[in-house]
Amino acid sequence: MKRVASLYLPHWSIDRVVRAERRASPPPDAPPAAPVLPPHPAGRVTGWRPGARWAKGERAVAPTPVTHHAPPLVTVTRNGSRIEIAAASPAAVALGIAPGMALTQARASVPALDVRDADPDGDRADLERVAVALARRWTPIVAISDPDGLFLDLTGTAHLHGGEERMARRIARLLARLGFTARIAIADTTGAAWAMARFPSPSPGSRAVVRRTAGEDHTVLAIPPAAQRVALAPLPVAALRLDAEALELLDRLGVETIGELLVMPRAPLVRRFGGAIVRRLDQATGAAAEPIVAIAPPQPIAVERRFAEPILTAEAIDHWLGGLTGELAATLASAGLGARALLFVASRVDHQAQVLRIGFARATRDAAHIHRLIARRIEEIDPGYGIDALALHIRRAEPLGPQALGTALAERQAPDLAPLVDTLANRIGHARLWRQRPVESDVPERAAAAIPALDPPDDDAARLALDDVRRLDARAPDHPWHPRWPRPARLLHRPERLDHVLAELPDQPPRRFTWRGEQHQVVRGDGPERITGEWWRRGAERDAVRDYFRVEDEAGRRFWLFRRGDGVRPETGDLLWFIHGTFG
């Protein structure tokens, strides 16, 4: 027997906005994330925690907890000259704001309204990604029902996940962890499941199971087999997915529920309303079939060669690799994609696989370039007793349109550095090839960010609108790093605490310190350079202070040290010393 689930995400657009903002800027009382910075060309600089554990001073002076009340959130879209509400959060709905209302009217009733632009394309793309994830993990047949819902065919798959209701609850909990509110209904037909998910009116023909997850009520409604007529009878006619004109006509005639339509003769219904209402009734009750157009998850791209006799030499591997790369390039071209990462797999006769990982700085489907990169590393393959299969698997791909015929078509064209970057990256490792861009921040670990080697530099001026008043400022932009206070060539992965520090408070550099078991006697020092915490990021940085010093020991080695605290006020830090980097 066929069983279908309708997954309804009532606040899909709003939940997407809230989730994106939480990921971009966590609340002040949340633990900081740990961005990873790649190594500096003159040394190794890896990422470490924002504020560099500003402190352990947090333990002594705990910040005052602040309760944040988010204003009602809505998304808006333009309809001609009218700006209207596209979606509203539950808080906004409770204040009388509904989709379709004019933004001016909503602002008049709720002045503190938080307004964001609607992103229907992004909503659709994310919903398709959710559908693909569900199709790969839960059931192979998943279809998009509308902009905020999905159909899942549970036939033959529910028993693999503990039954229908348990499977639905697990999906709801999964979405709750991702920040989305879900409502799921299960029935014999797509029409009945869709209606119960959006109009969850308990009736003798349905049983409700309510689960509370992450502070939200996630409802799972299951209609027993062959009971959809009884379950649908008390629901409003809007649950039949009718157009606005038919709903308005039924309302004028006083028809309010599906049960009233079910007892009416079919012939007068068809003559007065056409076949749409009867067709929706038959689809909801199971008298007429309604096919599900499933989303097909993208299949991974791979090409393979198997051999009747094992091969052992590098020349043989290189020969067959040429044919594989050509076939892979043709497959990528037909799919409109370019490879960013792939695996070259050599399967031995003893069932051991030799794998080479190849990455590209830019999407490509140049067979000769791919062949060159892999051929340079063929010596890393151990053939053992022989190789009976070679394969290329695409691990990551990006859309790639038509490519230019060559540099001869252009008089002056900048050289393409992608082949050079690919060659270097595959020899020394992808994590070590990067570019650094400055970021406007006084905190050292936040003053630089890693970007891919081929990314163009940011051009903030190009993103300004034509009528933006900032275009009137003709001054050159300030450099994010002040030249008076140079930064060391090498920053440590995280600041390391110093022992046996002898220093005069509050403004003198240390006279001696011990680092990694070695004592250093300071002969010269410069500072302090005072850096205060960025209070708008974290509450713990409101009073935090670092005093940085550049010092040189008797062996001529120069270090970048800081003291946590200003030496006067105890709330600024606990006066512990740390080393943050080295010069030269």
Side-chain angles (χ1 to χ4, degrees), residues 172 176 180-183 209-214 216-220:
F180 301 108
T181 303
R183 193 184 301 157
V209 180
V210 181
R211 303 288 294 183
R212 180 172 293 275
T213 306
E216 297 286 345
D217 288 333
H218 297 278
T219 304
V220 176

Side-chain angles (χ1 to χ4, degrees), residues 318 321 325 366-377 419 423:
D318 183 68
L321 177 62
T325 54
D366 185 350
H369 179 51
I370 297 173
H371 186 186
R372 245 185 340 262
L373 291 179
I374 301 176
R376 291 191 179 103
R377 299 179 58 188
T423 301

Side-chain angles (χ1 to χ4, degrees), residues 2 189-190 279-280 282-292:
K2 183 177 180 180
T189 64
T190 55
R279 184 176 66 255
R280 288 300 190 188
D282 291 342
Q283 289 174 348
T285 58
E290 183 179 0
I292 297 178

Side-chain angles (χ1 to χ4, degrees), residues 279-350:
R279 184 176 66 255
R280 288 300 190 188
L281 275 175
D282 291 342
Q283 289 174 348
T285 58
E290 183 179 0
I292 297 178
V293 181
I295 286 183
Q299 297 298 321
I301 297 176
V303 293
E304 186 179 21
R305 286 285 189 278
R306 292 192 171 274
F307 312 113
E309 296 293 335
I311 59 176
L312 290 167
T313 64
E315 292 77 10
I317 296 175
D318 183 68
H319 169 74
W320 290 106
L321 177 62
L324 277 177
T325 54
E327 184 179 347
L328 179 67
T331 305
L332 288 171
S334 62
L337 299 174
R340 286 297 305 272
L342 61 82
L343 300 180
F344 176 57
V345 182
S347 301
R348 303 192 316 195
V349 295
D350 58 355

Side-chain angles (χ1 to χ4, degrees), residues 352-520:
Q352 296 294 324
Q354 300 288 305
V355 181
L356 298 181
R357 292 171 172 82
I358 306 296
F360 306 94
R362 183 182 297 152
T364 181
R365 51 174 178 259
D366 185 350
H369 179 51
I370 297 173
H371 186 186
R372 245 185 340 262
L373 291 179
I374 301 176
R376 291 191 179 103
R377 299 179 58 188
I378 287 180
E379 67 274 7
E380 301 179 21
I381 297 177
D382 179 12
Y385 295 103
I387 295 173
D388 59 2
L390 296 176
L392 290 173
H393 298 268
I394 297 296
R395 299 293 293 172
R396 185 158 59 95
E398 292 179 357
L400 182 63
Q403 295 176 297
L405 294 178
T407 57
L409 298 178
E411 296 180 359
R412 292 184 179 179
Q413 187 174 4
D416 186 11
L417 298 179
L420 174 62
V421 171
D422 291 342
T423 301
L424 295 175
N426 285 282
R427 289 199 175 200
I428 66 177
H430 305 288
R432 299 185 181 181
L433 199 60
W434 56 280
R435 288 175 54 230
Q436 194 176 38
R437 67 176 180 88
V439 179
E440 190 173 355
S441 177
D442 291 331
V443 181
E445 60 271 21
R446 296 176 183 154
I451 60 176
L454 296 180
D455 277 11
D458 292 339
D459 187 6
D460 295 333
R463 291 197 293 265
L464 297 177
L466 294 177
D467 56 349
D468 197 307
V469 295
R470 287 174 290 181
R471 289 183 175 272
L472 301 177
D473 188 1
R475 297 176 303 171
D478 296 332
H479 197 281
W481 298 336
H482 199 291
R484 184 180 175 186
W485 301 108
R487 294 294 183 254
R490 179 174 181 260
L491 287 179
L492 299 179
H493 179 67
R494 57 173 56 88
E496 297 182 13
R497 183 174 172 180
L498 301 176
D499 300 320
H500 310 300
V501 182
L502 179 63
E504 182 180 352
L505 293 178
D507 297 329
Q508 297 301 316
R511 297 296 183 183
R512 71 164 184 257
F513 62 90
T514 301
W515 177 43
R516 295 180 178 176
E518 181 181 357
Q519 186 172 349
H520 299 266

